[in-house]
Amino acid sequence: MLSQSERDSLLETLSEPQKEFIVHFMKRGKRTQFSNLIAKWKAETKSGEGAEDTASNWELIDYIDAGPDWSAAGLQCECGRKLRRQYIVSNTITGVTHKFGRARR
């Protein structure tokens, strides 16, 4: 498996259309992972009333990878922590949006 720096180096060698394809593919994969996570959570919280409705109300809006210069990119969690990868989720009923993520990996 490639390290993060090796993946970043390879990404820099791609043309813009190739980069756009990879980013689109990654975002689609993250949406699938988010949907699977919500489905698993709903299955595990059968005892909680309204758990299925609550889980169904959240949607992954976007996934942003700031790249190798992530510390200067300005992505932040709602807690104020700088992020390399940011997930933006929205409640489809209330319209509330949350931003969270990972600093590095």
XYZ file of all heavy atoms in Angstrom:
841
model
N 0.836 -1.170 0.000
C 0.000 0.000 0.000
C 0.892 1.248 0.000
O 1.915 1.292 0.667
C -0.908 -0.012 1.227
C -1.794 1.190 1.266
S -3.379 1.027 2.097
C -2.997 0.896 3.775
N 0.479 2.249 -0.734
C 1.241 3.496 -0.835
C 1.020 4.372 0.387
O -0.067 4.399 0.964
C 0.813 4.270 -2.079
C 1.041 3.611 -3.432
C 0.437 4.458 -4.536
C 2.519 3.388 -3.675
N 2.040 5.122 0.746
C 1.904 6.093 1.835
C 1.136 7.313 1.308
O 0.967 7.492 0.097
C 3.280 6.529 2.329
O 3.914 7.326 1.341
N 0.707 8.155 2.222
C -0.016 9.365 1.826
C 0.855 10.251 0.942
O 0.394 10.786 -0.056
C -0.487 10.135 3.053
C -1.326 11.365 2.714
C -2.612 11.008 2.005
O -3.399 10.239 2.513
N -2.841 11.559 0.829
N 2.118 10.391 1.271
C 2.999 11.241 0.457
C 3.203 10.651 -0.940
O 3.286 11.392 -1.924
C 4.342 11.480 1.145
O 5.004 10.270 1.351
N 3.264 9.321 -1.039
C 3.379 8.685 -2.355
C 2.105 8.908 -3.177
O 2.180 9.202 -4.376
C 3.638 7.184 -2.200
C 5.027 6.866 -1.671
C 5.195 5.404 -1.289
O 4.237 4.792 -0.783
O 6.304 4.881 -1.510
N 0.949 8.803 -2.532
C -0.322 9.058 -3.242
C -0.408 10.507 -3.691
O -0.841 10.803 -4.809
C -1.512 8.686 -2.355
C -1.648 7.191 -2.146
C -2.961 6.818 -1.479
N -3.200 7.451 -0.203
C -2.886 6.927 0.980
N -2.295 5.749 1.047
N -3.160 7.582 2.093
N 0.022 11.425 -2.823
C 0.006 12.851 -3.174
C 0.920 13.127 -4.364
O 0.552 13.888 -5.270
C 0.427 13.713 -1.979
C -0.613 13.738 -0.867
O -1.799 13.449 -1.139
O -0.226 14.040 0.273
N 2.086 12.507 -4.379
C 3.034 12.697 -5.487
C 2.449 12.188 -6.801
O 2.573 12.841 -7.841
C 4.346 11.971 -5.208
O 5.008 12.562 -4.135
N 1.821 11.032 -6.763
C 1.190 10.488 -7.974
C 0.052 11.381 -8.461
O -0.103 11.606 -9.664
C 0.659 9.074 -7.716
C 1.705 7.978 -7.631
C 1.068 6.670 -7.201
C 2.425 7.816 -8.965
N -0.719 11.904 -7.536
C -1.838 12.781 -7.909
C -1.348 14.026 -8.638
O -1.983 14.490 -9.583
C -2.633 13.164 -6.662
C -3.964 13.856 -6.886
C -4.923 12.969 -7.688
C -4.602 14.247 -5.565
N -0.189 14.537 -8.233
C 0.381 15.727 -8.874
C 0.786 15.487 -10.326
O 0.890 16.426 -11.110
C 1.572 16.246 -8.069
C 1.192 16.832 -6.729
C 0.222 17.993 -6.855
O 0.433 18.873 -7.718
O -0.758 18.006 -6.087
N 0.995 14.244 -10.714
C 1.409 13.932 -12.089
C 0.226 13.833 -13.053
O 0.436 13.764 -14.261
C 2.193 12.606 -12.149
O 1.330 11.523 -11.806
C 3.396 12.640 -11.217
N -0.993 13.843 -12.529
C -2.184 13.683 -13.372
C -2.586 14.986 -14.045
O -2.345 16.077 -13.525
C -3.350 13.166 -12.525
C -3.155 11.825 -11.829
C -4.380 11.505 -10.983
C -2.875 10.724 -12.819
N -3.267 14.858 -15.163
C -3.839 16.039 -15.834
C -5.073 16.477 -15.048
O -5.598 15.730 -14.217
C -4.224 15.684 -17.265
O -5.313 14.773 -17.263
N -5.556 17.670 -15.323
C -6.746 18.181 -14.621
C -7.967 17.267 -14.814
O -8.659 16.972 -13.844
C -7.065 19.620 -15.030
C -6.159 20.640 -14.379
C -6.113 20.537 -12.863
O -7.194 20.477 -12.216
O -5.002 20.508 -12.310
N -8.266 16.810 -16.046
C -9.406 15.893 -16.199
C -9.234 14.592 -15.398
O -10.193 14.076 -14.833
C -9.446 15.591 -17.698
C -8.781 16.767 -18.341
C -7.725 17.195 -17.363
N -8.007 14.093 -15.325
C -7.743 12.884 -14.552
C -7.957 13.148 -13.057
O -8.549 12.335 -12.352
C -6.323 12.384 -14.804
C -6.120 11.804 -16.186
C -4.658 11.519 -16.491
O -3.762 12.261 -16.075
N -4.419 10.439 -17.227
N -7.491 14.303 -12.577
C -7.682 14.670 -11.173
C -9.172 14.802 -10.856
O -9.637 14.339 -9.815
C -6.970 15.987 -10.842
C -5.483 15.867 -10.745
C -4.874 17.220 -10.412
C -3.369 17.191 -10.489
N -2.756 18.500 -10.222
N -9.914 15.448 -11.756
C -11.355 15.617 -11.548
C -12.056 14.265 -11.469
O -12.951 14.073 -10.649
C -11.961 16.472 -12.664
C -11.599 17.932 -12.572
C -12.134 18.735 -13.735
O -13.114 18.304 -14.390
O -11.569 19.812 -13.999
N -11.653 13.326 -12.308
C -12.238 11.993 -12.283
C -11.978 11.316 -10.935
O -12.875 10.742 -10.328
C -11.683 11.127 -13.421
C -12.183 9.710 -13.380
C -13.417 9.392 -13.908
C -11.417 8.706 -12.783
C -13.896 8.086 -13.858
C -11.880 7.407 -12.733
C -13.127 7.091 -13.269
N -10.738 11.377 -10.477
C -10.356 10.761 -9.201
C -11.132 11.398 -8.051
O -11.675 10.699 -7.186
C -8.831 10.877 -8.953
C -8.053 10.084 -9.995
C -8.470 10.458 -7.539
C -8.229 8.588 -9.924
N -11.224 12.711 -8.024
C -11.946 13.402 -6.958
C -13.426 13.004 -6.978
O -14.014 12.717 -5.933
C -11.773 14.936 -7.076
C -12.750 15.676 -6.184
C -10.334 15.319 -6.750
N -14.022 12.976 -8.172
C -15.425 12.572 -8.289
C -15.614 11.137 -7.799
O -16.559 10.833 -7.066
C -15.899 12.698 -9.739
C -17.291 12.217 -9.964
N -18.385 12.920 -9.529
C -17.762 11.094 -10.550
C -19.477 12.241 -9.837
N -19.127 11.131 -10.455
N -14.708 10.248 -8.168
C -14.764 8.842 -7.750
C -14.656 8.737 -6.229
O -15.388 7.979 -5.588
C -13.638 8.064 -8.435
C -13.618 6.608 -8.096
C -14.498 5.732 -8.718
C -12.721 6.117 -7.169
C -14.484 4.382 -8.415
C -12.696 4.769 -6.858
C -13.579 3.898 -7.474
N -13.746 9.506 -5.635
C -13.570 9.483 -4.184
C -14.816 9.992 -3.470
O -15.246 9.417 -2.470
C -12.356 10.314 -3.777
C -11.036 9.665 -4.141
S -9.595 10.700 -3.776
C -9.807 11.030 -2.049
N -15.406 11.063 -3.977
C -16.612 11.612 -3.349
C -17.762 10.618 -3.415
O -18.501 10.441 -2.447
C -17.007 12.938 -4.002
C -16.106 14.080 -3.625
C -16.569 15.372 -4.228
C -15.612 16.492 -3.863
N -16.113 17.800 -4.275
N -17.907 9.942 -4.562
C -18.963 8.943 -4.695
C -18.739 7.803 -3.702
O -19.673 7.326 -3.061
C -19.012 8.422 -6.120
C -20.228 7.525 -6.382
C -20.337 7.123 -7.822
N -19.188 6.271 -8.158
C -18.706 6.113 -9.369
N -19.237 6.760 -10.381
N -17.686 5.325 -9.592
N -17.493 7.400 -3.540
C -17.159 6.350 -2.577
C -17.452 6.772 -1.149
O -17.940 5.985 -0.345
N -17.159 8.020 -0.818
C -17.430 8.525 0.535
C -18.928 8.565 0.794
O -19.381 8.270 1.898
C -16.810 9.908 0.748
C -15.303 9.916 0.709
C -14.709 9.104 1.838
C -13.193 9.133 1.771
N -12.587 8.320 2.821
N -19.718 8.943 -0.220
C -21.178 8.953 -0.044
C -21.692 7.540 0.221
O -22.561 7.325 1.054
C -21.858 9.563 -1.262
C -21.748 11.059 -1.312
C -22.649 11.673 -2.401
N -22.451 13.092 -2.433
C -21.618 13.732 -3.264
N -20.936 13.055 -4.154
N -21.486 15.033 -3.219
N -21.136 6.563 -0.489
C -21.526 5.163 -0.280
C -21.139 4.715 1.126
O -21.940 4.084 1.815
C -20.849 4.257 -1.334
O -21.276 4.672 -2.628
C -21.209 2.797 -1.119
N -19.932 5.047 1.565
C -19.498 4.691 2.913
C -20.409 5.321 3.962
O -20.774 4.683 4.944
C -18.060 5.149 3.158
C -17.020 4.346 2.426
C -15.616 4.916 2.623
O -15.431 6.052 3.050
N -14.621 4.120 2.293
N -20.774 6.583 3.748
C -21.650 7.286 4.690
C -23.014 6.606 4.740
O -23.553 6.364 5.816
C -21.794 8.761 4.279
C -22.605 9.573 5.245
C -22.045 9.999 6.435
C -23.910 9.918 4.953
C -22.784 10.761 7.332
C -24.654 10.680 5.840
C -24.090 11.107 7.032
N -23.564 6.262 3.588
C -24.855 5.578 3.535
C -24.791 4.225 4.247
O -25.716 3.857 4.976
C -25.295 5.368 2.084
O -25.503 6.599 1.455
N -23.704 3.490 4.033
C -23.536 2.202 4.701
C -23.416 2.371 6.211
O -23.956 1.570 6.979
C -22.324 1.456 4.154
C -22.525 0.976 2.736
O -23.641 0.869 2.242
N -21.431 0.688 2.050
N -22.706 3.402 6.639
C -22.558 3.674 8.065
C -23.909 3.996 8.690
O -24.238 3.494 9.767
C -21.573 4.826 8.280
C -21.267 5.202 9.714
C -20.554 4.058 10.418
C -20.419 6.452 9.750
N -24.700 4.816 8.024
C -26.035 5.154 8.526
C -26.902 3.906 8.593
O -27.617 3.677 9.570
C -26.693 6.243 7.649
C -25.961 7.575 7.821
C -28.168 6.387 7.955
C -26.085 8.210 9.187
N -26.843 3.059 7.567
C -27.636 1.826 7.553
C -27.238 0.918 8.714
O -28.093 0.334 9.388
C -27.463 1.100 6.230
N -25.933 0.796 8.961
C -25.451 -0.026 10.067
C -25.920 0.550 11.398
O -26.377 -0.172 12.275
C -23.924 -0.116 10.031
C -23.348 -0.964 11.126
C -21.835 -1.029 11.035
C -21.292 -1.831 12.213
N -19.853 -1.776 12.291
N -25.827 1.853 11.542
C -26.258 2.507 12.777
C -27.743 2.277 13.008
O -28.169 1.987 14.120
C -25.935 3.995 12.715
C -26.329 4.725 13.964
C -25.680 4.703 15.161
C -27.464 5.571 14.137
N -26.341 5.494 16.059
C -27.430 6.038 15.462
C -28.493 5.986 13.291
C -28.401 6.892 15.965
C -29.454 6.840 13.806
C -29.405 7.285 15.129
N -28.533 2.387 11.948
C -29.977 2.150 12.085
C -30.239 0.721 12.533
O -31.101 0.482 13.370
C -30.694 2.430 10.761
C -30.753 3.906 10.423
C -31.666 4.257 9.284
C -31.475 3.520 8.028
N -32.254 4.042 6.903
N -29.518 -0.235 11.996
C -29.715 -1.642 12.349
C -29.318 -1.914 13.797
O -29.945 -2.722 14.468
C -28.908 -2.532 11.412
N -28.287 -1.234 14.268
C -27.796 -1.469 15.630
C -28.604 -0.746 16.690
O -28.511 -1.074 17.863
C -26.327 -1.058 15.733
C -25.399 -1.963 14.962
C -23.964 -1.488 14.963
O -23.692 -0.367 15.453
O -23.096 -2.230 14.467
N -29.378 0.256 16.308
C -30.133 1.040 17.292
C -31.625 0.796 17.163
O -32.417 1.720 17.234
C -29.828 2.545 17.143
O -30.101 2.943 15.800
C -28.399 2.865 17.498
N -32.000 -0.466 16.995
C -33.414 -0.824 16.862
C -34.222 -0.376 18.068
O -35.389 -0.025 17.937
C -33.561 -2.337 16.699
C -33.004 -2.894 15.440
C -33.181 -4.398 15.434
C -32.224 -5.022 14.447
N -32.209 -6.463 14.530
N -33.609 -0.414 19.253
C -34.351 -0.089 20.471
C -34.661 1.400 20.590
O -35.606 1.776 21.270
C -33.566 -0.536 21.696
O -32.325 0.133 21.744
N -33.868 2.239 19.944
C -34.092 3.673 20.051
C -35.252 4.128 19.176
O -35.241 3.940 17.974
N -36.265 4.701 19.806
C -37.415 5.164 19.033
C -37.001 6.301 18.122
O -36.330 7.230 18.534
C -38.523 5.636 19.983
C -39.236 4.500 20.670
C -40.441 4.982 21.438
O -41.044 6.002 21.034
O -40.777 4.344 22.437
N -37.389 6.218 16.886
C -37.093 7.271 15.922
C -35.678 7.242 15.386
O -35.295 8.129 14.633
N -34.885 6.235 15.776
C -33.484 6.184 15.328
C -33.404 6.105 13.814
O -32.577 6.771 13.197
C -32.760 4.988 15.959
N -34.262 5.300 13.208
C -34.234 5.156 11.757
C -34.575 6.471 11.073
O -33.929 6.877 10.113
C -35.203 4.063 11.314
C -35.099 3.772 9.836
C -35.861 2.532 9.424
O -36.049 1.640 10.250
O -36.251 2.489 8.249
N -35.587 7.176 11.592
C -35.958 8.470 11.018
C -34.816 9.474 11.180
O -34.500 10.217 10.263
C -37.216 9.013 11.679
C -38.451 8.209 11.321
O -38.436 7.532 10.268
O -39.424 8.237 12.084
N -34.200 9.487 12.367
C -33.102 10.421 12.621
C -31.950 10.171 11.665
O -31.417 11.097 11.054
C -32.607 10.282 14.075
O -33.696 10.560 14.950
C -31.466 11.231 14.363
N -31.555 8.913 11.504
C -30.438 8.575 10.615
C -30.759 8.919 9.173
O -29.894 9.379 8.435
C -30.102 7.092 10.745
N -31.986 8.708 8.770
C -32.380 8.970 7.387
C -32.375 10.455 7.051
O -32.377 10.833 5.884
C -33.772 8.409 7.114
O -33.770 7.013 7.298
N -32.371 11.293 8.060
C -32.427 12.743 7.839
C -31.072 13.352 7.493
O -31.011 14.524 7.135
C -32.979 13.452 9.077
C -34.416 13.106 9.348
O -35.139 12.638 8.467
N -34.848 13.320 10.575
N -29.986 12.593 7.608
C -28.649 13.132 7.358
C -28.115 12.671 6.017
O -28.255 11.527 5.639
C -27.685 12.736 8.469
C -28.025 13.431 9.740
C -28.791 12.944 10.755
C -27.671 14.767 10.097
N -28.922 13.893 11.731
C -28.248 15.028 11.361
C -26.923 15.766 9.487
C -28.088 16.234 12.022
C -26.767 16.978 10.135
C -27.344 17.203 11.395
N -27.487 13.616 5.307
C -26.957 13.349 3.977
C -25.544 13.915 3.875
O -25.285 15.037 4.337
C -27.861 14.027 2.946
C -27.400 13.893 1.527
C -28.326 14.623 0.554
O -29.164 15.426 0.995
O -28.180 14.388 -0.643
N -24.640 13.141 3.284
C -23.292 13.640 3.036
C -23.350 14.576 1.835
O -23.702 14.171 0.741
C -22.323 12.485 2.755
C -20.882 12.884 2.471
C -20.231 13.523 3.691
C -20.078 11.689 2.021
N -23.030 15.827 2.058
C -23.091 16.846 1.007
C -21.793 16.893 0.215
O -21.790 16.992 -0.998
C -23.380 18.237 1.613
C -24.703 18.231 2.360
C -23.355 19.314 0.541
C -25.899 17.885 1.501
N -20.665 16.852 0.934
C -19.385 16.965 0.238
C -18.273 16.343 1.071
O -18.391 16.188 2.284
C -19.053 18.432 -0.031
C -18.087 18.636 -1.191
O -17.650 17.643 -1.803
O -17.780 19.799 -1.497
N -17.212 15.988 0.386
C -15.983 15.482 0.977
C -14.855 16.269 0.325
O -14.773 16.339 -0.893
C -15.836 13.981 0.685
C -14.444 13.457 0.939
C -14.002 13.206 2.227
C -13.572 13.219 -0.114
C -12.730 12.721 2.464
C -12.296 12.728 0.108
C -11.882 12.487 1.401
O -10.621 12.021 1.625
N -14.012 16.897 1.137
C -12.930 17.717 0.613
C -11.606 17.214 1.170
O -11.446 17.073 2.382
C -13.108 19.203 1.000
C -14.460 19.724 0.509
C -11.963 20.044 0.452
C -14.844 21.067 1.094
N -10.654 16.925 0.280
C -9.300 16.565 0.676
C -8.422 17.757 0.323
O -8.278 18.104 -0.850
C -8.834 15.307 -0.059
C -7.469 14.820 0.399
O -6.686 15.625 0.955
O -7.172 13.638 0.186
N -7.848 18.376 1.331
C -7.053 19.589 1.121
C -5.686 19.312 0.517
O -4.993 20.232 0.108
C -6.888 20.341 2.440
N -5.281 18.044 0.464
C -4.011 17.706 -0.166
C -2.826 17.848 0.761
O -2.967 18.076 1.955
N -1.635 17.726 0.190
C -0.422 17.704 1.005
C -0.160 18.994 1.773
O 0.492 18.975 2.814
C 0.693 17.427 0.004
C 0.122 17.663 -1.336
C -1.361 17.520 -1.220
N -0.645 20.112 1.304
C -0.463 21.387 2.012
C -1.679 21.706 2.871
O -2.092 22.856 3.000
C -0.203 22.519 1.007
C 1.081 22.302 0.222
O 2.031 21.741 0.800
O 1.125 22.681 -0.956
N -2.263 20.662 3.461
C -3.528 20.789 4.183
C -3.487 21.781 5.328
O -4.484 22.443 5.607
C -3.996 19.425 4.677
C -3.098 18.793 5.686
C -2.011 18.005 5.438
C -3.200 18.886 7.096
N -1.435 17.600 6.606
C -2.143 18.127 7.645
C -4.070 19.535 7.951
C -1.942 18.013 9.014
C -3.885 19.413 9.321
C -2.829 18.658 9.841
N -2.351 21.935 5.987
C -2.316 22.828 7.152
C -2.508 24.291 6.755
O -2.947 25.109 7.565
C -1.023 22.651 7.941
O 0.088 22.959 7.139
N -2.228 24.616 5.491
C -2.401 25.990 5.018
C -3.705 26.170 4.233
O -4.029 27.282 3.827
C -1.227 26.381 4.136
N -4.459 25.083 4.042
C -5.639 25.139 3.173
C -6.852 25.814 3.804
O -7.747 26.251 3.107
C -6.028 23.730 2.719
N -6.901 25.878 5.119
C -8.003 26.574 5.775
C -9.220 25.721 6.097
O -10.214 26.253 6.565
N -9.156 24.410 5.869
C -10.282 23.564 6.252
C -10.280 23.395 7.767
O -9.243 23.155 8.364
C -10.194 22.180 5.603
C -10.372 22.090 4.105
C -10.307 20.637 3.660
C -11.676 22.703 3.663
N -11.472 23.537 8.369
C -11.561 23.404 9.814
C -12.773 22.595 10.223
O -13.821 22.647 9.580
C -11.665 24.771 10.483
C -10.394 25.565 10.492
C -10.517 26.788 11.371
O -11.588 27.337 11.563
N -9.397 27.225 11.921
N -12.607 21.883 11.326
C -13.718 21.207 11.983
C -14.512 22.284 12.733
O -13.997 23.382 12.970
C -13.160 20.179 12.970
S -14.417 19.252 13.858
N -15.717 21.967 13.116
C -16.495 22.932 13.891
C -15.852 23.231 15.235
O -16.108 24.265 15.834
C -17.925 22.434 14.063
C -18.669 22.456 12.755
C -20.102 21.977 12.869
O -20.543 21.570 13.962
O -20.791 22.010 11.844
N -15.000 22.325 15.702
C -14.294 22.542 16.975
C -13.103 23.483 16.799
O -12.465 23.868 17.770
C -13.842 21.209 17.562
S -12.520 20.387 16.630
N -12.778 23.850 15.551
C -11.684 24.766 15.277
C -10.388 24.099 14.853
O -9.430 24.770 14.493
N -10.344 22.794 14.876
C -9.144 22.047 14.512
C -8.923 22.065 12.995
O -9.868 21.907 12.235
C -9.312 20.614 14.985
C -8.109 19.772 14.871
C -8.382 18.449 15.541
N -7.324 17.530 15.224
C -7.334 16.272 15.537
N -8.352 15.770 16.178
N -6.336 15.501 15.216
N -7.680 22.259 12.565
C -7.358 22.224 11.138
C -7.527 20.805 10.624
O -7.189 19.838 11.315
C -5.923 22.688 10.889
C -5.728 24.167 11.070
C -4.305 24.539 10.722
C -4.098 26.029 10.855
N -2.741 26.427 10.463
N -8.033 20.688 9.404
C -8.312 19.376 8.825
C -7.606 19.176 7.495
O -7.492 20.105 6.706
C -9.811 19.197 8.581
C -10.725 19.274 9.783
C -12.174 19.249 9.326
C -10.441 18.132 10.735
N -7.207 17.948 7.244
C -6.764 17.547 5.902
C -7.997 17.154 5.096
O -8.141 17.480 3.943
C -5.783 16.374 5.989
C -5.684 15.554 4.696
C -4.447 15.775 3.935
N -4.550 15.232 2.590
C -3.568 14.644 1.965
N -2.401 14.484 2.546
N -3.720 14.230 0.729
N -8.882 16.356 5.725
C -10.093 15.863 5.061
C -11.323 16.356 5.809
O -11.418 16.176 7.016
C -10.084 14.341 5.038
C -8.959 13.783 4.221
C -8.855 12.275 4.391
N -7.775 11.761 3.588
C -6.522 11.675 4.015
N -6.200 12.077 5.226
N -5.585 11.197 3.217
N -12.233 16.957 5.077
C -13.439 17.510 5.687
C -14.684 16.850 5.092
O -14.790 16.694 3.880
C -13.511 19.014 5.459
C -14.677 19.684 6.147
C -14.724 21.165 5.858
O -14.940 21.553 4.718
N -14.484 21.974 6.871
N -15.595 16.454 5.975
C -16.886 15.898 5.584
C -17.944 16.929 5.931
O -17.954 17.468 7.033
C -17.170 14.603 6.345
C -16.158 13.522 6.083
C -14.966 13.454 6.801
C -16.387 12.558 5.114
C -14.035 12.465 6.562
C -15.453 11.556 4.862
C -14.280 11.520 5.592
O -13.360 10.537 5.349
N -18.825 17.196 4.975
C -19.906 18.146 5.208
C -21.218 17.374 5.114
O -21.508 16.769 4.078
C -19.872 19.299 4.185
C -18.511 19.997 4.238
C -21.018 20.277 4.448
C -18.269 20.999 3.126
N -21.973 17.369 6.215
C -23.249 16.666 6.261
C -24.352 17.670 6.552
O -24.139 18.687 7.193
C -23.261 15.529 7.307
C -22.238 14.456 6.959
C -23.022 16.055 8.695
N -25.543 17.354 6.059
C -26.676 18.247 6.240
C -27.904 17.450 6.658
O -28.129 16.335 6.183
C -26.962 18.992 4.934
O -28.067 19.844 5.079
N -28.698 18.043 7.534
C -29.965 17.453 7.924
C -30.996 17.870 6.891
O -31.220 19.063 6.682
C -30.363 17.908 9.323
C -31.581 17.202 9.824
O -32.664 17.332 9.254
N -31.412 16.442 10.890
N -31.624 16.886 6.245
C -32.557 17.178 5.154
C -33.856 17.795 5.640
O -34.577 18.393 4.846
C -32.871 15.900 4.356
O -33.412 14.920 5.237
C -31.617 15.356 3.683
N -34.145 17.690 6.928
C -35.373 18.268 7.483
C -35.132 19.697 7.974
O -35.844 20.625 7.609
C -35.918 17.409 8.656
C -36.156 15.964 8.206
C -37.175 18.028 9.253
C -37.184 15.794 7.110
N -34.103 19.866 8.796
C -33.856 21.166 9.420
C -32.936 22.077 8.618
O -32.902 23.276 8.838
C -33.220 20.978 10.813
O -31.926 20.386 10.650
C -34.098 20.116 11.713
N -32.149 21.463 7.715
C -31.196 22.254 6.942
C -29.894 22.532 7.685
O -29.004 23.195 7.161
N -29.757 22.030 8.904
C -28.531 22.215 9.690
C -27.377 21.497 8.987
O -27.524 20.365 8.544
C -28.719 21.661 11.124
C -27.406 21.644 11.879
C -29.753 22.470 11.868
N -26.246 22.171 8.891
C -25.063 21.606 8.251
C -23.937 21.519 9.273
O -23.748 22.441 10.071
C -24.618 22.486 7.068
O -25.681 22.552 6.126
C -23.392 21.933 6.388
N -23.216 20.401 9.252
C -22.057 20.225 10.122
C -20.833 19.890 9.283
O -20.936 19.209 8.261
C -22.280 19.082 11.130
C -23.316 19.401 12.161
N -23.142 20.352 13.132
C -24.551 18.883 12.361
C -24.211 20.402 13.884
N -25.095 19.525 13.434
N -19.677 20.391 9.734
C -18.396 20.128 9.078
C -17.452 19.497 10.088
O -17.243 20.050 11.159
C -17.787 21.427 8.533
C -18.634 22.088 7.483
C -18.039 23.400 7.050
C -18.929 24.058 6.002
N -18.388 25.347 5.564
N -16.930 18.335 9.740
C -16.009 17.648 10.617
C -15.051 16.834 9.761
O -15.192 16.787 8.551
C -16.743 16.753 11.630
C -17.609 15.710 10.973
C -17.119 14.446 10.719
C -18.917 15.996 10.623
C -17.920 13.481 10.120
C -19.725 15.032 10.028
C -19.222 13.779 9.764
N -14.081 16.193 10.374
C -13.170 15.396 9.566
C -11.974 14.870 10.290
O -11.995 14.702 11.500
N -10.920 14.664 9.503
C -9.669 14.099 9.995
C -8.528 15.053 9.696
O -8.448 15.603 8.612
C -9.388 12.778 9.302
C -10.417 11.721 9.556
C -9.985 10.441 8.936
N -8.772 9.983 9.576
C -8.703 8.913 10.363
N -9.776 8.216 10.586
N -7.574 8.559 10.917
N -7.629 15.164 10.662
C -6.459 16.020 10.455
C -5.479 15.357 9.496
O -5.016 15.958 8.554
C -5.785 16.314 11.780
N -5.172 14.093 9.710
C -4.269 13.380 8.811
C -4.464 11.892 8.966
O -5.028 11.430 9.931
C -2.836 13.761 9.036
C -2.372 13.547 10.461
C -1.043 14.165 10.659
N -1.258 15.250 11.614
C -0.456 15.542 12.589
N 0.631 14.892 12.740
N -0.700 16.511 13.411
N -3.902 11.175 7.999
C -3.965 9.713 8.007
C -2.985 9.141 7.055
O -2.720 9.639 6.022
C -5.362 9.254 7.635
C -5.510 7.769 7.717
C -6.926 7.419 7.532
N -7.024 5.981 7.308
C -8.039 5.444 6.702
N -9.005 6.152 6.252
N -8.104 4.170 6.545
